[in-house]
Structure formats: C-alpha cells, structure tokens
Amino acid sequence: MAGTETGSRARSVRARVPRPRMSVEEATARANDGLAALEHATERLLEVVAGLDEGTIRGASALDGWSRGHVIAHLARNADALLNLLTWARTGVEHPMYASRADRDADIEEGARRSGRLLREDLIAACERFAAAAGAMPETGWRAEVVVGDGWPLTGHEIPWLRVREVWIHLADLRCGFDLADLPEEVQEELIDDAVAHYDGMDGVPPFALRVDLPDGTQREWIVNGTNDSSTGAVRGDAITVLAWLTGRGDASALSGDAPRLPDWI
C-alpha cells in the first residue's frame, strides 16, 4: 500500500462534498486545535523514529513494497507537501503539494536509501518547517481554499488535521510498538470524520450509515455518500475497528451490519 497520501493507489478524482463554511475565528480555532493535536503526534513519531537502528529501518513496514525507511521519507516529504498548501492558503498563489506524482515517488525512493541518521534529521527538519509555517499563518489563511493534487478542494484549517492523520496512521504502519489501538482517544473521532469525508462523493462507494461506539462511551452516526435508512443495516463497531476498516488497515469482520467493499485507501 505504498502510494499517495496514506496508501498505495491513486484516489479517484471527484467532487468532494463541501463542509460548512466557517468564520475566520472559527477556522482559526479549528486550525489551532489541529496544531495542538499535531504537536503530540509529532513528538510520539520522533520518539519512535529516534529509537530505530539501521536494520530496523531497512525492515518491512506494514505497506506493501515499502520499508520503514520509505515510510519515514514519505512523512518528511508529506510535511513539505502540506507546507506548500499552507503557502497557497497564505498567499493565494497556487502551490501544489507535489510537482508531479513521479517526482514525489522519486523523492521517497531517494530518501529511503539514506542512512538512519540522515532520515531522522530530514524528518525533524521537515516537521520543524511545517510547524514554523503554520505558526506564521495569518488568520485569514485558515479560511482560504486550496486544492489537493487530485482535485480535492479543502480549506486551510483542514491542513493541520491532514498532517495529524498522516502522522498517526503511518506511525502505526512502521510496526514499531505502536498500532491504531494506541491512538489517543481525543483524535479517534476526528480521524473517522476525516476518513468519512474522504469517501463522500467518491465513485463506487454506495450510501451507508456508520454507527461508531466512541471511547468516551457515546455513539455517533455518519451517513456516507448520500442518504441512507440508518434504522437498518448500519455498519457498527468501536472507533478503532471502524477506523482500521475505513483506512484499509483492517477488514470488516469485526463490524456488524452490511459493510460495503470500499475502494483502496489513498
């Protein structure tokens, strides 16, 4: 599953279902929440990567065809790619995440061949660049519209949360003592919300209801890709099991209801 943002195969181009428009104040607060969550995720990521020796870095990750070195290199380049989106949101001048898919893949392959020391230094520097750019973002930038490489529009305040998703999901992909079951409770609902938004408007995804038991003992329901009778046949499970299924890190065997076959995760 070594590929676009957290997986291996290209995402279908489609019109994303828009989220409600926020005021500048609301967008700024939302972005700041994401940056606080990202600080925790980044600290955990760098702690794990700091403890990896050369042999472990060359070993296989959970993603087909990728070593742990590939995952680390991808996380560094993803930070730079999302920094490009921050620049776009700040200036209004188009800055795509990557020059091209080929350039992106070549950068990851080149990075994966570096020594563990250089990989760690590169990751640290990329994380610091993103944090600095986010810290300098004017409030109006968090409400600006940008576009992800496949034509998927999003608003500036969503960029920190995209990075939160990338860090936590790929940290589990490293298979170095952290898995999705270790996700902080406070981000589980956020990551499910993000995954559901990914499938809205996507070709090949039928309408279905998703009922999730959250770690605080409450339950939340999503309607995916249109209207659906949520009274029957809702896909149901705990937050971690649902998130693993939505992101291609687990199957639907532990879920109740009629879980559809989902396209390959991004």
Side-chain angles (χ1 to χ4, degrees):
M1 293 164 51
T4 60
E5 284 316 298
T6 35
S8 61
R9 300 170 181 85
R11 180 194 295 177
S12 301
V13 177
R14 82 282 188 193
R16 185 189 187 207
V17 176
R19 294 187 178 184
R21 186 75 167 158
M22 292 184 177
S23 68
V24 170
E25 293 76 17
E26 291 170 330
T28 300
R30 176 69 177 156
N32 286 336
D33 287 344
L35 293 173
L38 178 57
E39 184 176 3
H40 178 205
T42 301
E43 288 176 355
R44 185 67 183 275
L45 170 66
L46 296 181
E47 177 185 355
V48 169
V49 171
L52 304 182
D53 60 28
E54 289 291 338
T56 304
I57 287 173
R58 304 306 153 203
S61 74
L63 302 179
D64 293 343
W66 271 15
S67 68
R68 293 184 182 92
H70 285 89
V71 175
I72 297 168
H74 167 60
L75 282 165
R77 298 290 69 76
N78 171 262
D80 288 335
L82 293 178
L83 187 154
N84 286 340
L85 293 187
L86 290 178
T87 301
W88 186 344
R90 177 175 57 82
T91 65
V93 178
E94 183 175 344
H95 281 72
M97 291 182 69
Y98 302 100
S100 69
R101 174 62 183 269
D103 286 341
R104 171 199 171 277
D105 292 348
D107 285 345
I108 293 171
E109 286 295 333
E110 188 276 330
R113 293 192 293 269
R114 295 176 181 173
S115 68
R117 179 182 63 82
L118 291 178
L119 274 168
R120 284 188 287 271
E121 290 175 356
D122 183 32
L123 178 61
I124 291 168
C127 290
E128 289 177 346
R129 286 192 294 269
F130 180 89
M137 177 74 83
E139 291 187 349
T140 53
W142 296 126
R143 197 169 180 265
E145 296 289 337
V146 300
V147 178
V148 177
D150 64 356
W152 180 27
L154 76 163
T155 310
H157 63 78
E158 297 177 84
I159 299 171
W161 288 104
L162 287 183
R163 182 62 180 170
V164 171
R165 180 190 73 190
E166 287 294 303
V167 170
W168 284 125
I169 297 296
H170 280 314
L171 182 53
D173 289 336
L174 286 174
R175 298 196 303 188
C176 289
F178 177 92
D179 60 34
L180 291 183
D182 299 315
L183 277 172
E185 291 185 357
E186 62 269 20
V187 302
Q188 293 178 23
E189 183 177 2
E190 292 283 356
L191 295 186
I192 293 170
D193 199 46
D194 180 82
V196 168
H198 161 68
Y199 287 114
D200 269 332
M202 181 182 286
D203 291 341
V205 179
F208 67 96
L210 182 63
R211 194 170 298 155
V212 182
D213 300 314
L214 297 171
D216 64 359
T218 63
Q219 187 180 92
R220 181 176 169 187
E221 183 172 284
W222 285 262
I223 303 299
V224 182
N225 215 10
T227 59
N228 189 68
D229 180 3
S230 62
S231 62
T232 60
V235 180
R236 179 174 178 178
D238 65 82
I240 294 300
T241 304
V242 168
L243 183 62
W245 171 61
L246 290 173
T247 60
R249 269 69 181 175
D251 59 30
S253 60
L255 300 175
S256 62
D258 186 17
R261 179 177 176 81
L262 298 176
D264 291 327
W265 181 246
I266 54 179

